[in-house]
Structures are given as C-alpha cells and as structure tokens.
Amino acid sequence: MPSVLTSALAPLASAPPARPTQAQAEDAVRLLIAWAGDDPNREGLLDTPARVARSYAELFSGYNEDPCTHLTRTFQETGGYDDLIVLSNIRVVSCCEHHMLPVVGRAHVGYLPGNRVVGISKLARVVSGFSRRLQIQEKLTTDIANAIQDSLDPRGVGVVIEAEHSCMTLRGVDTPGSMLTTSRLLGQMRDDPQIREEFLSQVRQARA
C-alpha cells in the first residue's frame, strides 16, 4: 500500500519535463554532428545547429496548437446542401516517431455535413496541425478523422493518407517509391456502401 508521501508525490512524478531551450537544442545538434564523425566547429557547420533547431521548430509546430480550433467557425447557410464534401491532395509533411525521419505524402478528407459546414482551408489546416508531430501514420489518420467528427458532428467522415516514409526509402529495407496507405471511415461513410464507394472513387480520381 503506497505511503501518504508517495501518493502526494505521484502528480509531480507524472509531470512532463521542462521544454529544453533553443541553446540546449543547438548543443544537442553539435553533439550529433560530433557523434557522426565531423567537427561541429568547422566553417561549414558553424551555423548548422541553429538551422536545424529552426527547421525542427517548423516541422514540429503541431505541438504548439490544437488543430480542432480551426473547426470552431462553421456556416449553416448551405442552401440545404447535404451531399459529400471532399478535399483531395492535401500535402502531408510529418515525422516518423521511430526514426525521426520525414514522412511525406497527401491526404484526402471527406465528410457528410449535418447542419453545418466549415471553410475548406480549415480542413487543410487540421491536416497540417496534426501532421507536424512525431507519430505513426495510423494515428495521424485517426486523429484527423476524430477531430472532424467531434467538432462538426457530421453524418460521416472519411480520411485517406498516402505517404512515403524515409525510414524505409532512405535506410533499412531501402525501397524507394513504396507508399503506405491508411484510411479511417466513420458514420455513414463506413456503414453506407454507396457513400463509401463515392468517397473512395473521388480519392482514386484524385490520385490520377
């Protein structure tokens, strides 16, 4: 049975570590350069740690936002439109959480509106917000679909992501051109064969 002191310290033990500073991040890059076998103090590498830190700040900017906030402003004046809405070929730039190497591809997002719709640029922002984190593609696909479902309460949601993983194409099995496809279908998009086929047909057309 845990002591009173242990119970009191439990919340502290689970607290996330403080975020390192920019200077600490740059020091880490210098260490990696040295570990790789080069001299971080030579002319061509002097500014590399700062550049890497800035690029990582951009690649992982998804940690600084809640992508669902892009779905808070909706519109109800749709003229009664209740058919499928699909935004295709949204660029995906993410990073594999296992090797911290780029994952680059495209997403196709669709939903069946209930009584409101959202600006199409917001769908792209949701994809970007969730993408710019360390993760696996399966979770990314699920996160995007769940965010749209929870925020808009549509009759159905569909998300398909096709991406090339550098951890496979630049190292390891070394298979350039291989693509991973993941999908998440919710509501009528999953349960209604006709609607599902309409969405997937639009995805196939977008690929072409």
Side-chain angles (χ1 to χ4, degrees):
M1 183 174 182
S3 67
V4 175
L5 179 60
T6 301
S7 299
L9 292 177
L12 297 177
S14 61
R19 189 167 188 169
T21 65
Q22 174 86 8
Q24 289 173 319
E26 293 180 17
D27 285 342
V29 176
R30 291 188 187 91
L31 182 63
L32 283 173
I33 291 173
W35 174 83
D38 213 322
D39 178 8
N41 294 312
R42 71 177 176 83
E43 182 182 18
L45 292 173
L46 279 177
D47 294 328
T48 296
R51 293 191 188 103
V52 171
R54 288 196 299 269
S55 68
Y56 269 32
E58 182 177 350
L59 286 172
F60 303 137
S61 59
Y63 289 115
N64 301 322
E65 65 168 299
D66 176 4
C68 293
T69 59
H70 299 300
L71 301 173
T72 55
R73 186 183 180 191
T74 59
F75 307 94
Q76 293 183 324
E77 294 181 357
T78 62
Y81 185 91
D82 61 358
D83 290 323
L84 190 60
I85 297 172
V86 180
L87 184 62
S88 299
N89 294 324
I90 307 169
R91 182 168 172 80
V92 170
V93 178
S94 191
C95 260
C96 161
E97 67 181 26
H98 299 145
H99 302 93
M100 293 185 69
L101 288 173
V103 175
V104 180
R106 53 187 175 174
H108 313 276
V109 176
Y111 70 101
L112 276 169
N115 59 0
R116 55 202 175 111
V117 299
V118 71
I120 57 174
S121 68
K122 307 306 182 186
L123 296 176
R125 291 186 185 278
V126 169
V127 171
S128 177
F130 280 114
S131 296
R132 292 183 178 272
R133 302 176 179 182
L134 291 167
Q135 62 203 317
I136 59 173
Q137 184 174 322
E138 293 86 343
K139 184 178 186 299
L140 171 60
T141 308
T142 299
D143 284 345
I144 295 170
N146 288 346
I148 297 171
Q149 181 66 46
D150 294 343
S151 300
L152 302 183
D153 193 27
R155 292 173 290 131
V157 176
V159 176
V160 174
I161 296 179
E162 307 163 294
E164 182 175 291
H165 290 240
S166 298
C167 58
M168 282 189 59
T169 61
L170 299 179
R171 56 159 300 281
V173 293
D174 192 18
T175 55
S178 61
M179 303 284 288
L180 177 65
T181 301
T182 51
S183 63
R184 178 72 165 173
L185 305 176
L186 302 173
Q188 292 184 28
M189 201 81 79
R190 177 194 61 207
D191 300 331
D192 187 317
Q194 183 175 348
I195 295 174
R196 182 172 65 246
E197 177 53 33
E198 181 182 354
F199 171 64
L200 295 177
S201 176
Q202 291 199 38
V203 170
R204 289 192 291 268
Q205 291 177 20
R207 288 170 177 163

